[in-house]
Amino acid sequence: IAEVCLVKLFPKVQNKFSERYGNVSGLGPSLLAMGKLGSSEMSINSDLDLILIYHANKDSFSNGKKSVSAQVYYSRLTQAFISAITVATGEGPLFKVDMRLRPSGNNGPVATSINSFEHYQVNEAWVWERLALSRGRVLNGNIALCNQINKVIEQALNAQISVHKVIKEVNEMRLRLNKNF
C-alpha cells in the first residue's frame, strides 16, 4: 500500500511543484526505498526510509516562474513530497518518513544527485550503510536513472572492504549502541 501511495503521489506533487518552478534538464528524480519498505517487509508501525536521487545536466536551473539551481529545486521538491506524505489527517499522518539513510544522514542535503550518491556509496559509506543499501529498491523514475542507481548499488555492494575496516566499524557501532542503552 505504501509503495502504491508513493508512486501515485509523487507525480502529482511533482506536477504541482513544476507549476511554480518549472523543470530542470536531465533525467529527473527517482525514489529509492530503503529499510523495510525497500525489502518489502513493512509492518503497521514501519516508517518510510527514502532517498530522493536526481540527475540534472551540469549547472542547470529550473525553467519556471521562479528559477533555482538543480540542487535547490530537488531539495524543495523533496520537502514538498515529504509534506504530502506526512500531512496530518483525521486519522493521523499518512506515513512517517525517515530520510536519515541518505548520504551523510541528517547533515546531508535531502535530495542527492546521482554523482554524489555514487561517490558517497562507493568511496565513503560505512559498512552499516552498505548493509542498509542491500535493501535498497528503486520505486520510480526515468529508466536510465533507475539503471544508474541499480549499478551504483551493485558496485557499492561488491566493493572490496578490508576485514580490518569491517571489524573496526562493527566495534564502533557496538560502542555507540551500548552508549545509547
Side-chain angles (χ1 to χ4, degrees), residues 9 14 22 26-28 34 44-45 56-57 59 61 71 78 82 95 116 127 138 141 146 163 167 171:
L9 183 60
Q14 189 174 14
L27 300 177
M34 302 286 284
I44 194 74
N45 294 321
N57 293 334
D59 299 325
F61 281 75
Q71 182 180 11
T78 302
I82 292 169
F95 293 104
S116 295
V127 171
V138 179
C146 295
V163 172
I167 291 170
N171 283 332

Side-chain angles (χ1 to χ4, degrees), residues 109-177:
V110 293
T112 305
S113 73
I114 184 65
N115 293 334
S116 295
F117 180 74
E118 178 178 18
H119 175 78
Y120 185 83
Q121 295 298 341
V122 173
N123 300 307
E124 298 176 22
W126 292 49
V127 171
W128 71 266
E129 290 175 304
R130 289 176 194 238
L131 289 171
L133 193 60
S134 71
R135 300 171 91 182
R137 185 167 52 92
V138 179
L139 297 181
N140 68 347
N142 177 293
I143 192 72
L145 179 58
C146 295
N147 289 337
Q148 280 184 306
I149 295 168
N150 285 324
K151 285 180 186 173
V152 170
I153 292 171
E154 183 179 339
Q155 185 180 0
L157 295 179
N158 289 313
Q160 294 294 321
I161 305 172
S162 74
V163 172
H164 173 72
K165 180 177 179 175
V166 171
I167 291 170
K168 178 180 178 267
E169 288 187 21
V170 167
N171 283 332
E172 289 171 356
M173 220 179 325
R174 285 183 176 162
L175 288 173
R176 277 193 306 264
L177 288 171

